[in-house]
Amino acid sequence: MSTELTTELTTDILVIGSGIAGLTYALAAAERGQVTLVTKKERAESNTNWAQGGVAAVLGPDDRPDLHIGDTLVAGAGLCHRDRVEILVNEGPSRVRELMAWGADFQRTDEGLALGREGGHSRRRIVHAADHTGRMIETALLAAVASNERIQVLEDHFAVDLLLGIDPASGQNRCGGALVLDHGEGRTYPVRARITMLATGGAGQVYRHTTNPAIATGDGLAMAYRAGALLANLEFIQFHPTAFYPTADPAFLISEAVRGEGAVLRRRDGTAFMDRHHRLGSLAPRDVVARAIDRELAETGDEHVLLDLEGIRPERFRERFPGIAAHCEAQGVDLARGIPVVPAAHYVCGGVVTDAWARTSIHGLLAAGEIACTGVHGANRLASNSLLEALVFSHRASVTTARDLDFVDWIDAAPALAGEADHPPTSPDPHLEGDRREVRSLMWSEAGIVRTTDRLASADEVLAPILARQERLAAGEPGDLERHQLRNLTQTAHLIVRSARMRTESRGLHYMLDHPWRDNEGCLRDTLLRR
Ligand code: FAD
Ligand code: SIN
């Protein structure tokens, strides 16, 4: 990274985020222009790096696109956009092959790619690298990016806000890059771009218990909201049923692929319970399994359930899941007695609304990966469709870029909401850790796996003044990374709660105790939010 003082940087294409979405887009877009990729910490830090199960795609001899489409639609509980699901499934296999050409090395058998199974899938279709698929993909993509001279990667560069201005050619409002905080050097400066790609990933850190690493603070959602972008379906937060208990921060994931290989969920007293909740038992869709565990824990008063590995030969388990086996043993777990597990926040199904070509509602701003709401997940994401979605729609974003880049110029642009608040905080600030803890605990208890109208209303009431305070404090301390992240985390929490209050039914991942049924007449629609 350059150490000379920068007051402004100009690039053809700005990419924000170095997970699978940002990196694959950068590689493809670099064929058309100079790419600057900013990432807020060290370049490998991303949700992508932690992915275990793998990438779902129709690659097996017994599989067909209509089956993968059908499974995705069933999981999505009526809210998937079928045309986008068709794009996802039909273009998926080519994108997986492209990923392999960039260096991804998926496990093979004598017959070809080894295919795993996960909840909600009617066929084996998950390509993987043992239980460290994400790390393998991230390492391969970073190596490909490092050898591409047209891509500059800036680590420890935090995008604070998008730059907006009027495009003189079209007279339209347009994104012209982002205001970036180089927190290594403590300087903030604009990165001006003709096209900006938002690939900032998820927001699991909004919840007290999450599988997501520390970077997942919802920055992109908050930034896009402040810039006036259209957002959708933020009430649909996926809780992964099987995080290791006791949970650390982040919680260590026990991949759904373990159940795909034959593991079964049991109460601590040994009773198997999933067959009472769904015909697919322990391999039911995630929303069903997470709620069933939540209910079992409430009924028994236990702090966790057990994942019984009896159906998997011990040597097979260690070979297929070496990272999980090592983690459990390091924590003193006797694998023969099962792994203690609980649900934890895992994935945001909604996000910044994009069209089929990754365009957001703001000209010049593209989005892909977990930050985007492409319409493929509906009310509940099917396992291992997330990495696939990032691949397919990042590629489509690069096609959009190839088409548009020659016709757009740099513009005069300023940060969204610039100068709206300016109240210097007292120092040291007593609110930072207290507010973070309060927001995360509140979201876990009031906007978690099971919700009620009253609990959501009280969460809204508590969050609004915390958000107002964090907005003021962030404006008064523009060089403080933690402050910006907490502001974004609180903003994202508030958006989740507001979206949840707009859905007065139970569907997919959004379960309301006082509205326990689906309401297809009143609620069969996306939940849209705009500033
Ligand atoms: P990320 O990979 O999260 O990358 C986001 C990037 O943006 C990071 O580099 C981050 O530092 C950067 N960033 C964020 N904010 C800013 C900012 N303000 N300024 C600059 N940079 C910023 N999905 C599957 O399909 N299969 C799986 O097997 C699977 N397993 C998973 C296991 C775990 C433990 C977790 C947490 C998730 C898993 N998922 C899985 C989900 C999947 O990994 C993610 O949805 C996907 O990796 C998201 O990719 P992304 O590129 O959108 O975001
Ligand atoms: C897992 O391995 O269970 C995670 C898969 C996913 O989130 O899609």
Side-chain angles (χ1 to χ4, degrees):
M1 189 175 71
S2 155
T3 52
E4 64 198 49
L5 277 183
T6 315
T7 53
E8 178 170 318
L9 197 150
T10 302
T11 184
D12 290 327
I13 299 157
L14 169 64
V15 182
I16 309 174
S18 57
I20 188 170
L23 294 173
T24 55
Y25 170 78
L27 284 165
E31 289 176 20
R32 295 299 173 140
Q34 202 65 39
V35 176
T36 300
L37 186 153
V38 295
T39 188
K40 70 177 174 179
K41 293 281 173 72
E42 188 263 321
R43 64 192 68 196
E45 283 191 40
S46 57
N47 275 3
T48 300
N49 203 43
W50 291 88
Q52 291 187 354
V55 189
V58 177
L59 294 160
D62 65 340
D63 205 358
R64 295 193 315 263
D66 60 301
L67 297 175
H68 190 183
I69 290 168
D71 293 343
T72 303
L73 295 176
V74 168
L79 280 194
C80 297
H81 294 219
R82 192 184 171 103
D83 57 329
R84 305 296 170 79
V85 175
E86 285 171 359
I87 289 171
L88 177 84
V89 169
N90 290 330
E91 297 181 11
S94 304
R95 299 284 75 82
V96 169
R97 285 186 204 103
E98 184 175 48
L99 186 60
M100 290 163 68
W102 277 321
D105 187 13
F106 294 109
Q107 232 155 296
R108 293 182 167 276
T109 65
D110 293 343
E111 284 86 52
L113 286 166
L115 298 174
R117 180 151 184 221
E118 291 180 12
H121 287 278
S122 58
R123 291 288 186 279
R124 286 191 164 264
R125 60 167 74 100
I126 321 288
V127 292
H128 56 272
D131 56 5
H132 52 260
T133 310
R135 201 171 68 228
M136 179 278 289
I137 292 174
E138 184 77 18
T139 307
L141 290 174
L142 284 174
V145 161
S147 62
N148 190 318
E149 287 181 349
R150 287 162 73 94
I151 306 174
Q152 173 190 31
V153 177
L154 302 176
E155 293 183 323
D156 295 329
H157 277 60
F158 177 85
V160 177
D161 263 312
L162 297 167
L163 302 176
L164 296 177
I166 302 294
D167 182 350
S170 66
Q172 286 169 330
N173 200 25
R174 186 177 173 83
C175 178
L179 184 70
V180 164
L181 166 65
D182 169 355
H183 54 93
E185 298 288 332
R187 287 174 297 120
T188 304
Y189 62 91
V191 178
R192 302 197 178 279
R194 295 155 77 194
I195 288 185
T196 304
M197 165 65 144
L198 198 54
T200 48
Q205 285 284 323
V206 161
Y207 286 89
R208 182 165 160 216
H209 302 288
T210 179
T211 61
N212 290 193
I215 52 95
T217 50
D219 298 336
L221 290 170
M223 259 190 282
Y225 178 72
R226 287 194 290 270
L230 186 65
L231 311 181
N233 293 354
L234 289 171
E235 67 274 36
F236 297 116
I237 302 297
Q238 185 166 74
F239 293 82
H240 198 292
T242 57
F244 184 86
Y245 176 88
T247 53
D249 191 8
F252 184 83
L253 183 73
I254 307 298
S255 175
E256 193 155 314
V258 176
R259 277 172 283 138
E261 293 294 327
V264 168
L265 285 160
R266 295 187 189 277
R267 283 182 173 185
R268 287 184 74 186
D269 68 8
T271 318
F273 56 86
M274 274 313 301
D275 288 342
R276 280 194 282 118
H277 295 277
H278 198 277
R279 68 183 169 80
L280 291 173
S282 291
L283 273 180
R286 264 180 210 174
D287 58 329
V288 177
V289 184
R291 265 196 307 278
I293 296 177
D294 194 60
R295 196 172 309 163
E296 295 293 330
L297 296 181
E299 272 175 35
T300 57
D302 286 341
E303 289 184 328
H304 63 81
V305 293
L306 285 170
L307 192 57
D308 177 0
L309 306 179
E310 219 180 79
I312 317 174
R313 282 180 295 108
E315 45 303 356
R316 166 74 182 148
F317 182 74
R318 275 172 219 286
E319 176 210 353
R320 173 72 175 84
F321 305 110
I324 295 174
H327 180 87
C328 292
E329 282 170 347
Q331 298 297 314
V333 169
D334 175 0
L335 291 173
R337 302 171 71 128
I339 304 174
V341 291
V342 287
H346 185 63
Y347 183 83
V348 184
C349 291
V352 179
V353 173
T354 54
D355 68 10
W357 294 98
R359 291 177 293 209
T360 71
S361 60
I362 298 178
H363 293 287
L365 180 67
L366 307 175
E370 191 165 338
I371 180 73
C373 184
T374 62
V376 302
H377 304 311
N380 181 28
R381 172 177 70 95
L382 187 66
S384 288
N385 265 359
S386 166
L387 295 171
L388 183 71
E389 180 200 34
L391 289 174
V392 167
F393 289 93
S394 289
H395 172 81
R396 288 187 148 238
S398 75
V399 174
T400 302
T401 302
R403 204 171 45 207
D404 293 353
L405 192 62
D406 288 346
F407 303 100
V408 292
D409 217 334
W410 294 271
I411 58 165
D412 277 339
L417 299 190
E420 270 198 12
D422 188 14
H423 302 270
T426 52
S427 185
D429 167 27
H431 294 301
L432 192 75
E433 268 320 306
D435 279 358
R436 193 197 315 272
R437 259 198 311 276
E438 182 169 5
V439 170
R440 298 183 70 193
S441 298
L442 181 81
M443 290 301 286
W444 184 257
S445 62
E446 311 295 271
I449 298 172
V450 171
R451 303 159 178 184
T452 70
T453 304
D454 287 351
R455 282 196 229 154
L456 288 173
S458 86
D460 200 344
E461 224 168 87
V462 176
L463 284 170
I466 300 179
L467 177 59
R469 178 164 65 231
Q470 290 305 332
E471 288 280 5
R472 273 201 314 278
L473 295 174
E477 221 169 340
D480 186 334
L481 173 69
E482 294 304 325
R483 171 67 59 211
H484 285 300
Q485 291 188 126
L486 179 54
R487 168 209 200 189
N488 291 337
L489 185 124
T490 311
Q491 175 72 78
T492 302
H494 199 223
L495 292 170
I496 292 169
V497 168
R498 282 174 55 199
S499 304
R501 293 188 74 186
M502 289 160 75
R503 185 169 290 283
T504 50
E505 63 159 356
S506 290
R507 181 186 298 275
L509 296 158
H510 175 71
Y511 188 81
M512 297 283 284
L513 274 177
D514 48 347
H515 296 281
W517 311 113
R518 267 192 213 179
D519 172 9
N520 280 340
E521 292 202 349
C523 298
L524 191 61
R525 45 154 176 74
D526 292 324
T527 306
L528 300 177
L529 266 183
R530 198 200 297 260
R531 187 168 163 267

